[in-house]
Each structure stands twice: as structure tokens, then as C-alpha cells.
Amino acid sequence: MTQRVCFVTIGATAAFDQLLHAVLTSQFLQTLRASGYTNLLLQYGEAGYSILKSFEAKIASGEADNHGIDISGFDFNKLGLGQEMASVKAANDRAEGVVISHAGSGSILDAMRIDVPLIAVPNTSLLHNHQVDLAEELARQGYLVHGHLDNLSAALAESDVLRKTRQTWPPQHGGADPSGRGLAGVMDEEMGFYD
């Protein structure tokens, strides 16, 4: 059987338990299975361990069903999440999967640089919610799907459509450094600033 991975990251700085709960619902797990996914890998942060263990206990007691999805997770990777994000890329024994991430700029840029399908879900409990603005704008530009906690199944379906048309990052506007400004020019292009 070909493996297909959905990697979920809540980031390193703020808890996002709502995202963990949303991806562990029966409805979302059924959608994953129906879409050909085999694995759900969770980066759950400090507090998320208890959420995963509680879900595993419900499976063991028959209160919950994993719908044939292999679910695993970890707290944090000091070396970054590049390896986990790359695990969703197509390879010999893997079909292309998806990254579902909080809408923090670091995680979004990491996924976009690796060129993997991305669903960015804003953590609306944060003060001065810049995550909503960032997810909306990058979705408008065709880089990612702006996901919502109450409808991740629809976002998963949308990511399958976007995988055929998504924009690549960084945007290429002619040559290594068309501005002739060295590092400043490269950084401007990486951030999407053009003359």
C-alpha cells in the first residue's frame, strides 16, 4: 500500500489545542481515509501530549475510531520540521500528502520553501490576530489553502485542487538578483517586495 502522510504542526511558541482536537475528530479522520491518507503525524507541543494520549485511550476502549489511519506524534524537534514536512512529498513509496499548520509565518515559509501542499489554520485566540491576515492573503495569491477549525475536511478537498495550480515560493522574477542589490535584493524577493 502506498503511504500518504498528513503532517500537522501547531508551532513552537503558542499552544493550539483546538487544531489538535479538530484533526482527531471522526469526521476528519474519515475524510483522510477516503482521500487515500494512511498516516497522521502530529507536532503537538508541550500540552498536546495529553490530547493524543486521551485519543489513544478512547480508541483502545472503543469510544473512538482511527478509521485505519496510523496516528503518531511528537512534542518539538530542535532541528526544525523540515524532515517532517518533507515526509508529505511524493517519493517511491509515498503519494503526495499535505501539511496542516497554524498560520504562523515561520511554519508557512518552511512549508512553501519545501514546496508541499499547505493548509494554514489561523489560531484566532492570539492577540492582534495577524495569522488570519497572512492566511487570507497567501490563499488569495494561490500559495496555500486558508483552513478553518470547523471545516478541515473541506480544506483538505480544496488542497487537492490547489496542488495542481499552487504558486511556488519564492516567486521568481528573472534571475538570481535582478535588483543588483546583493543580499538585500534576495531578501526583498523572498519577502515578495518588488520595485
Side-chain angles (χ1 to χ4, degrees), residues 109-121:
L109 281 172
D110 285 347
M112 288 178 11
R113 284 185 190 117
I114 294 172
D115 193 27
V116 294
L118 173 63
I119 299 169
V121 182

Side-chain angles (χ1 to χ4, degrees), residues 174 176-182 184-186 188 195:
D177 180 14
S179 71
R181 295 185 9 231
V186 172
D188 283 349
D195 294 335

Side-chain angles (χ1 to χ4, degrees), residues 87 89 116 123 185:
S87 75
K89 288 185 82 71
V116 294
N123 184 346

Side-chain angles (χ1 to χ4, degrees), residues 4-8 28 31-32 34-37 88 95-101 111 115-121 138-139 142-148 151-167:
R4 191 173 191 199
V5 177
C6 174
F7 172 55
V8 177
F28 184 72
T31 301
L32 279 179
S35 300
Y37 285 84
V88 309
E96 187 174 61
V98 69
V99 171
I100 300 175
S101 176
D115 193 27
V116 294
L118 173 63
I119 299 169
V121 182
L138 290 174
Y143 290 106
L144 54 79
V145 171
H146 175 191
H148 302 274
N151 202 354
L152 287 178
S153 293
L156 190 65
E158 192 177 337
S159 77
D160 279 335
V161 172
L162 183 67
R163 96 178 50 248
K164 298 174 184 106
T165 61
R166 77 176 178 267
Q167 299 294 316

Side-chain angles (χ1 to χ4, degrees), residues 52-73:
L52 179 58
K53 289 302 163 193
S54 174
F55 183 75
E56 289 172 347
K58 288 179 181 177
I59 290 172
S61 71
E63 292 178 61
D65 185 353
N66 66 356
H67 298 281
I69 301 292
D70 181 18
I71 302 170
S72 59

Side-chain angles (χ1 to χ4, degrees), residues 16-149:
F16 196 7
D17 295 350
Q18 301 94 322
L19 181 56
L20 296 174
H21 287 293
V23 299
L24 293 173
T25 64
S26 182
Q27 177 192 8
F28 184 72
L29 292 171
Q30 284 176 327
T31 301
L32 279 179
R33 190 64 183 164
S35 300
Y37 285 84
T38 57
N39 297 72
L40 176 61
L41 176 60
L42 307 173
Q43 180 270 315
Y44 49 68
E46 280 185 35
Y49 178 80
S50 61
I51 294 169
L52 179 58
K53 289 302 163 193
S54 174
F55 183 75
E56 289 172 347
K58 288 179 181 177
I59 290 172
S61 71
E63 292 178 61
D65 185 353
N66 66 356
H67 298 281
I69 301 292
D70 181 18
I71 302 170
S72 59
F74 62 97
D75 174 2
F76 183 71
N77 184 343
K78 290 185 270 187
L79 301 176
L81 300 176
Q83 181 177 352
E84 290 80 6
M85 287 189 182
S87 75
V88 309
K89 288 185 82 71
N92 295 337
D93 61 340
R94 277 192 320 258
E96 187 174 61
V98 69
V99 171
I100 300 175
S101 176
H102 70 115
S105 58
S107 295
I108 286 175
L109 281 172
D110 285 347
M112 288 178 11
R113 284 185 190 117
I114 294 172
D115 193 27
V116 294
L118 173 63
I119 299 169
V121 182
N123 184 346
T124 57
S125 68
L126 298 177
L127 185 63
H128 307 300
N129 201 347
H130 67 283
Q131 289 192 2
V132 171
D133 297 333
L134 185 60
E136 285 175 350
E137 181 59 25
L138 290 174
R140 186 190 67 72
Q141 293 181 26
Y143 290 106
L144 54 79
V145 171
H146 175 191
H148 302 274
L149 289 171

